[in-house]
């Protein structure tokens, strides 16, 4: 696609440059359209809008392909570790031994929170959702390291990035301990990343949690599979905030808030609630599937469907295998897994789901693995946030390293009142009904 695209508006023709990505993705660059024609493009929900050029993650939703920096997710899930994958995403290449050692050491050096941050945990009620605590505490961290907050200095960026990757895990574990009224467990420098998270979550003060390699590997794989996913809702949020030159911690905290919703990261929690309800009601999943297809019902088959994948989510394929392997090795039989598998089979053979290309996404089986590990449901989205942190950081870096980067500022088509005049309070009649 070398020739410019042509657009006819009200009989006048405009030429717009075209763009082709390294994998042949085609786009029309509309950035000059308004200046030429006074018209903007309207794309509610951004389903057809490329917000940036990015060299981090490639997805082909039709063919079910996901690659980080060109490397297929299947290879990373099998051969890499979360820490190595984080390095790959942020710096663009797999690390040498020396680079990996330096990066790991930097994560260890930065794993402890500033001691005064502990007092902030006291202010949250026991009922606080861990995602609320996580976003608040990530944002609060920036107050403790004001000297690090410059955005364009690569050495400071390296320390900030390590601190954030390392501390998101510490904050997450502390918020869990707080919600259960348990004493805080500090990280152990000798443990690797995922081991340390499990230790901080589940050890007692006088008895260390027994680290089983298959559990560590399963959780590490979950982190790898969630590490990036190009311009999804939370990553776009991080880039949006970064574009205003807000610091890395503020940008990542915003990403956590976006991830919290049930249509995004909150889906893994919603999947387990759905499966539990189905199990408790004695349904085998078929009644729920019928309700999910009924347009009068607000139910959706959680863990199914994806904005980009119109084929099986490659992460779901990997996670299903990890789930089977883990439950077998721990000798766990979970009725929710049986229901999930039956529902998947039914949905994949049902015209409603087939026609709409709705396949299981990464969240469909991840919750069952986390349940088996003993991670409580309200922590599921937090696990997603820990995994997604390297992706947010690499996208943040791409924004601030780009000398042509501009503040993100979409436009709109205004559909409100035309100009009208202020009415004094005594002359007004109530037009808005307030819900009680
Ligand atoms: N169950 C039943 N119907 C569904 C589902 C579902 N899970 N997902 C989509 N549909 C239907 C819609 O009702 C719509 O039907 P229609 O054309 O008859 O109106 C059609 O499929 C298209 O759906 P949209 O909502 O337009 O698709 P969109 O791309 O906007 O949404 C989303 C994608 C949000 C993931 C959606 O599929 C969904 O809500 N899934 C369940 C929640 C979920 O699992 N989210 C996790 C996403 S992955 C992640 O964030 C890691």
């Amino acid at each position: 696609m070398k020739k410019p695209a042509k657009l006819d508006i009200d009989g006048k023709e405009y030429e717009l440059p075209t763009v082709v990505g390294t994998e042949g993705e085609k786009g029309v660059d509309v950035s000059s359209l308004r200046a030429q024609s006074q018209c903007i493009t309207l794309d509610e929900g951004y389903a057809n809008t490329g917000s940036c050029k990015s060299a981090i993650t490639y997805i082909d939703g039709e063919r079910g392909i996901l690659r980080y920096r060109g490397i297929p997710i299947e290879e990373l899930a099998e051969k890499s570790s979360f820490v190595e994958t984080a390095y790959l995403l942020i710096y663009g290449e797999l690390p040498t031994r020396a680079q990996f050692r330096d990066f790991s050491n930097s994560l260890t050096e930065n794993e402890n929170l500033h001691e005064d941050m502990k007092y902030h945990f006291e202010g949250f009620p026991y009922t606080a959702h861990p995602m609320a605590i996580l976003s608040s505490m990530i944002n609060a961290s920036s107050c403790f390291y004001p000297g690090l907050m410059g955005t364009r200095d690569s050495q400071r960026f390296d320390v900030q990035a390590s601190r954030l990757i390392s501390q998101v895990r510490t904050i997450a574990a502390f918020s869990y301990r707080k919600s259960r009224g348990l004493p805080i467990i500090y990280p152990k420098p000798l443990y690797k990343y995922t081991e340390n998270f499990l230790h901080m979550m589940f050890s007692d003060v006088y008895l260390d949690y027994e680290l089983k390699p298959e559990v560590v590997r399963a959780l590490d794989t979950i982190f790898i599979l969630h590490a990036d996913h190009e311009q999804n809702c939370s990553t776009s949020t991080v880039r949006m905030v970064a574009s205003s030159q807000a610091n890395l911690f503020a940008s990542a905290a915003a990403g956590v808030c976006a991830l919290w919703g049930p249509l995004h990261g909150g889906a893994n929690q919603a999947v387990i609630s759905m499966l539990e309800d189905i199990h408790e009601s004695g349904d085998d999943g078929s009644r729920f599937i019928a309700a999910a297809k009924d347009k009068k019902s607000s139910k959706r088959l959680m863990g199914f469907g994806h904005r980009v994948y119109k084929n099986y989510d490659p992460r779901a394929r990997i996670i299903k295998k990890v789930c089977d392997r883990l439950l077998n090795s721990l000798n766990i039989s979970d009725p929710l897994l049986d229901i999930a598998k039956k529902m998947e089979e039914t949905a994949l053979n049902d015209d409603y789901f087939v026609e709409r290309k709705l396949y299981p996404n990464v969240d469909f089986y991840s919750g069952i693995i986390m349940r088996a590990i003993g991670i409580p449901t309200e922590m599921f989205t937090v696990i997603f946030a820990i995994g997604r942190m390297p992706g947010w950081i690499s996208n943040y870096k791409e924004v601030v390293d780009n000398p042509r980067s501009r503040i993100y500022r979409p436009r709109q088509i205004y559909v409100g009142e035309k100009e009208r005049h202020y009415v004094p309070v005594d002359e007004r009649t109530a037009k808005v009904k307030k819900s009680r």
Side-chain angles (χ1 to χ4, degrees), residues 66-68 70-81 84-85 88 94 217 221 224-225 314 318:
L66 169 63
R67 297 181 199 138
Y68 298 160
I71 304 180
I73 191 66
E74 292 79 6
E75 290 179 29
L76 292 167
E78 193 193 327
K79 298 178 182 159
S80 186
S81 66
E84 188 182 62
T85 299
L88 168 73
L94 286 168
R217 185 63 201 158
T221 309
I224 293 173
L225 297 181
I318 298 168

Side-chain angles (χ1 to χ4, degrees), residues 263-264 267 295 300-305 307 352 356 361 363:
L263 295 190
H264 189 12
K295 292 289 162 202
R300 279 197 166 195
L301 179 48
M302 300 312 284
F304 254 72
R307 172 60 64 79
Y352 175 96
R356 289 170 180 76
N361 60 48
D363 292 318

